[in-house]
Amino acid sequence: TDSGHQHPRVKTGSALAKAGLRKIVLKRLMSSLKRTPTLPPGTKPLDNQVAGHQTADGKIGCLVHEDGTVLKPVQVPPKGQTEVEFYQEVFGEQASTDKVLLQLRELVPKFHGIVHAPKEPDVRFMKLENLLQDMRQPCVLDIKMGRKTYDPFASKEKIAMETAKFPPAKNLGYQISGMLTYSPKTGKFQKFDKYFCKKLNEETIVFEGFGKFFAIDGVLQKEVIKAVIERLEQILEWFHKQRTFNFFASSLLVVFDGDISPSPSSHPNSSLSSSGLDGGNITHNCCNGETDSIIENDFSDLVSSDSVDDKTTNPPDSPHPKVQVRMIDFAHVYHMTEEDENYIFGLKHLIDDFRRLLKS
């Protein structure tokens, strides 16, 4: 052995390691330098988006406009055009004589037309109602509906991929895509992303999923749940009557105000925007499924708002509960004359599960 010289393999391995490291650093640098299209004037990223495409790596997610509306980017064809045409049909003049479409207008965000990004004619946005506008500290829940989240024309590969994402959906008829909760005690939000949500199953999704969402500092907000169930029953009634659309990979957005203080002036963050969010107050600790849980796995720790002094949890002059429930995401909507059994199956199960949580 020649102890005075380094083995050539060591040199080669070291060189490869350095080359690999340089490649990773360069890739991250290029990603950070990707040019983000110019945003429309008076807009900023929507901080409380819990699912879907978000603003990062040169891509634009949903934006909030200073006039109080939300701008949702139009996806590439055919998905983007399908969603645009759906909104245009529902809110177009021809809908004024169609009872099904008129009723549907009350179940989806209001549509205010198409907006183009300045200097970028290919970048378009749908201008939609902002369901969080009147809420001080919005709690947000995104639920993807249906046993099948693939459309009738999906390939075998697409079907297999979608089914593998969340196998319990076959029996549940829905899946949670993301959640955002708020704690008045700490003044912070907590985001539960898709990685956390995918670890839920048929046994845990009600109490460890919805139980977390509908609790404020460990107190289950039963009046909120009742309001959500009432709204879901209205949507179910519409589905039983209509024979115009079938919805695939569509979602329900559930929002309520997590600030149960009597008035905006009494809240320390009352100077925030209408969305109620301060980016620095969002806790992103759920990417690996580990959370500083508001509710521990033992659901017995959760207190019902019915068992607590109403003056403490729900002041007489408080507008709480402020609740919004809307159907969203229409990139895979098809005109069909048969009942939308796939969506109805999930909606019935969702209502039953919320009732089960309510009785806990």
Side-chain angles (χ1 to χ4, degrees):
T1 59
D2 196 346
S3 59
H5 298 280
Q6 192 176 30
H7 197 284
R9 287 185 180 178
V10 176
K11 287 185 178 181
T12 303
S14 177
L16 287 173
K18 289 180 179 178
L21 182 60
R22 283 196 297 268
K23 185 176 180 181
I24 292 172
V25 172
L26 182 61
K27 185 177 180 180
R28 289 180 178 176
L29 178 62
M30 293 300 293
S31 178
S32 66
L33 292 176
K34 284 183 180 178
R35 186 180 66 85
T36 300
T38 305
L39 301 184
T43 65
K44 63 180 181 179
L46 182 65
D47 292 329
N48 40 24
Q49 186 176 346
V50 296
H53 303 287
Q54 302 184 29
T55 302
D57 294 338
K59 298 178 181 178
I60 298 180
C62 288
L63 307 174
V64 60
H65 194 277
E66 60 187 7
D67 67 4
T69 59
V70 165
L71 302 187
K72 180 181 180 180
V74 177
Q75 299 181 62
V76 296
K79 293 188 292 184
Q81 192 58 31
T82 297
E83 186 162 32
V84 169
E85 290 175 358
F86 171 81
Y87 273 113
Q88 289 175 336
E89 180 176 356
V90 174
F91 288 92
E93 290 184 9
Q94 71 277 11
S96 59
T97 58
D98 189 317
K99 188 175 181 180
V100 169
L101 296 182
L102 285 175
Q103 291 175 342
L104 183 55
R105 286 181 179 182
E106 302 302 315
L107 308 179
V108 303
K110 291 181 175 60
F111 176 65
H112 301 286
I114 300 297
V115 175
H116 292 266
K119 302 179 182 179
E120 310 223 22
D122 294 334
V123 180
R124 299 185 298 158
F125 300 87
M126 291 171 286
K127 195 170 188 180
L128 303 171
E129 174 187 9
N130 184 358
L131 303 177
L132 317 179
Q133 186 177 11
D134 296 327
M135 299 190 184
R136 298 194 290 267
Q137 308 294 353
C139 298
V140 185
L141 171 66
D142 188 304
I143 308 170
K144 186 174 288 188
M145 298 302 297
R147 285 180 291 188
K148 298 182 293 185
T149 57
Y150 50 86
D151 63 44
F153 307 102
S155 64
K156 291 182 179 179
E157 292 76 15
K158 177 68 172 178
I159 293 174
M161 182 180 70
E162 287 296 318
T163 303
K165 285 181 178 179
F166 190 70
K170 181 179 180 181
N171 295 324
L172 289 170
Y174 66 83
Q175 54 191 288
I176 301 176
S177 299
M179 304 188 298
L180 184 70
T181 63
Y182 176 72
S183 167
K185 193 174 292 184
T186 64
K188 291 186 177 182
F189 287 88
Q190 188 171 25
K191 184 176 286 189
F192 298 86
D193 62 15
K194 62 181 180 181
Y195 300 103
F196 168 84
C197 297
K198 284 180 179 179
K199 291 187 177 182
L200 299 170
N201 55 47
E202 292 177 60
E203 288 72 38
T204 63
I205 196 166
V206 174
F207 298 115
E208 295 179 27
F210 297 136
K212 279 178 168 51
F213 176 70
F214 286 111
I216 296 181
D217 289 330
V219 179
L220 191 64
Q221 303 299 301
K222 291 200 169 187
E223 290 305 312
V224 173
I225 300 174
K226 290 176 184 177
V228 171
I229 291 174
E230 182 179 348
R231 189 64 168 170
L232 293 178
E233 288 175 336
Q234 293 172 0
I235 295 174
L236 179 60
E237 182 181 359
W238 178 83
F239 266 96
H240 280 313
K241 293 178 179 179
Q242 71 95 16
R243 295 293 185 275
T244 304
F245 301 110
N246 273 204
F247 299 79
F248 299 92
S250 184
S251 294
L252 284 168
L253 190 69
V254 178
V255 186
F256 74 92
D257 197 341
D259 185 348
I260 55 177
S261 59
S263 64
S265 60
S266 67
H267 195 275
N269 290 332
S270 60
S271 61
L272 294 177
S273 66
S274 59
S275 67
L277 280 179
D278 177 354
N281 284 338
I282 302 178
T283 304
H284 299 273
N285 63 341
C286 307
C287 293
N288 59 0
E290 297 177 357
T291 68
D292 295 331
S293 299
I294 295 173
I295 312 164
E296 299 300 329
N297 290 339
D298 181 2
F299 192 69
S300 62
D301 290 342
L302 188 62
V303 180
S304 164
S305 60
D306 290 349
S307 63
V308 182
D309 185 356
D310 286 341
K311 293 180 181 178
T312 301
T313 60
N314 202 14
D317 56 345
S318 172
H320 189 71
K322 288 182 181 176
V323 179
Q324 296 277 12
V325 180
R326 295 288 194 283
M327 298 166 59
I328 61 169
D329 298 337
F330 307 113
H332 301 276
V333 177
Y334 293 87
H335 285 94
M336 294 185 176
T337 55
E338 63 265 23
E339 186 176 68
D340 193 345
E341 185 274 337
N342 181 55
Y343 199 111
I344 290 174
F345 177 88
L347 196 50
K348 285 182 175 179
H349 277 247
L350 184 63
I351 292 171
D352 287 343
D353 285 342
F354 282 165
R355 284 175 176 156
R356 185 152 62 99
L357 181 63
L358 191 60
K359 293 177 181 178
S360 63

